[in-house]
Amino acid sequence: MEKLFIVDDHKMLLNGLKTYLEENSEWKVAKTFTSQAECLECLAQIQNPCELPQIIIVDVQLRGESGFDLVERITKNWPQIKCIIYSMYDTPGYILQARESGAKGYISKVASEEELLAALKTVLDGGEYIEKRMEKTLKNLDSVISSFSRQEKIIFEKILQGKTNKEIAGELFISSHSVENYVSFMYDKCYVKNRMELIQKFQNN
């Protein structure tokens, strides 16, 4: 039986997901957590590598913390564990950030249970999984971001997450003017005139 952990601060969803997986698949949900700290503490205490989960399902937001940060830490310290981001958000910016964090899969909470099982199987077998309805959008994104600098890529992700220049500046510890300059360069590279056109060009269809 395959083993996984789930990290989600919504206890009702957490318990429902655990029940579904154990009743309808070969997966055993060995541990569940509602915070980043709980998960990391548990992993650090596991001495036998055989007791580690093959996959950890991680929610994007955990009581004000970022699920992406947790995925980065897991990927760095336990590279044998694969992570899937499971999120209420389906905007392209979150998909890109999930991939940057090291996640091997991204699926929204409105996806069917069958698609979640498909994602788990694909990731377990060594592949990467993006929710089917997001694949076309991701291909469009990949064709553009290859021309971006690392900073432009990060700002681009945050724009597609709906964040303002001021919010982006605060998160990246740079000036709003610097963000405006980066955004202007991106408009040129994406052949759009403003933020609305940029978002509409890469929204999920």
Side-chain angles (χ1 to χ4, degrees):
M1 182 173 287
E2 311 297 349
K3 185 190 306 180
L4 63 81
F5 291 174
I6 303 174
V7 190
D8 195 316
D9 60 357
H10 295 86
K11 289 188 177 181
M12 186 177 296
L13 189 147
L14 183 65
N15 293 333
L17 184 57
K18 179 179 185 296
T19 299
Y20 175 81
L21 289 172
E22 293 191 333
E23 291 182 355
N24 297 276
S25 74
E26 296 300 314
W27 287 96
K28 175 178 174 55
V29 182
K31 298 281 186 181
T32 62
F33 311 97
T34 59
S35 72
Q36 182 177 148
E38 289 175 354
C39 180
L40 292 173
E41 182 179 358
C42 176
L43 291 173
Q45 291 176 352
I46 295 175
Q47 301 298 319
N48 185 351
C50 294
E51 296 179 3
L52 291 170
Q54 285 97 335
I55 293 177
I56 300 181
I57 297 175
V58 181
D59 190 13
V60 166
Q61 290 188 330
L62 303 166
R63 296 180 181 174
E65 300 174 321
S66 169
F68 298 125
D69 290 342
L70 176 57
V71 171
E72 287 179 1
R73 293 189 182 191
I74 293 170
T75 301
K76 178 181 179 181
N77 295 298
W78 297 276
Q80 66 270 52
I81 299 175
K82 301 176 175 68
C83 293
I84 293 177
I85 291 287
Y86 191 50
S87 170
M88 63 180 291
Y89 303 104
D90 64 353
T91 58
Y94 284 96
I95 302 172
L96 290 175
Q97 192 170 354
R99 194 166 59 179
E100 288 289 324
S101 72
K104 298 300 182 182
Y106 190 100
I107 189 165
S108 71
K109 293 181 179 180
V110 300
S112 67
E113 290 88 350
E114 290 79 12
E115 188 160 18
L116 175 59
L117 292 178
L120 287 168
K121 184 180 187 307
T122 299
V123 171
L124 180 66
D125 291 343
E128 297 184 1
Y129 192 94
I130 299 296
E131 190 172 336
K132 293 298 184 185
R133 65 191 180 89
M134 302 177 187
E135 287 181 343
K136 182 179 178 181
T137 298
L138 189 60
K139 288 180 181 178
N140 290 337
L141 289 168
D142 284 340
S143 67
V144 172
I145 61 177
S146 59
S147 66
F148 287 173
S149 67
R150 175 164 177 75
Q151 189 76 317
E152 286 175 336
K153 189 182 297 184
I154 293 171
I155 292 173
F156 183 58
E157 291 170 2
K158 294 183 182 301
I159 289 174
L160 295 182
Q161 291 170 11
K163 295 179 180 177
T164 65
N165 286 357
K166 184 177 180 180
E167 290 171 330
I168 295 170
E171 291 183 14
L172 300 182
F173 304 103
I174 60 178
S175 69
S176 294
H177 181 68
S178 293
V179 175
E180 290 171 4
N181 286 337
Y182 280 116
V183 171
S184 179
F185 294 147
M186 282 186 278
Y187 289 166
D188 291 339
K189 291 180 179 181
C190 295
Y191 303 103
V192 298
K193 296 177 181 178
N194 53 53
R195 184 179 297 249
M196 182 174 293
E197 286 187 8
L198 182 68
I199 293 173
Q200 288 178 342
K201 185 170 183 177
F202 297 104
Q203 66 185 357
N204 289 322
N205 296 317

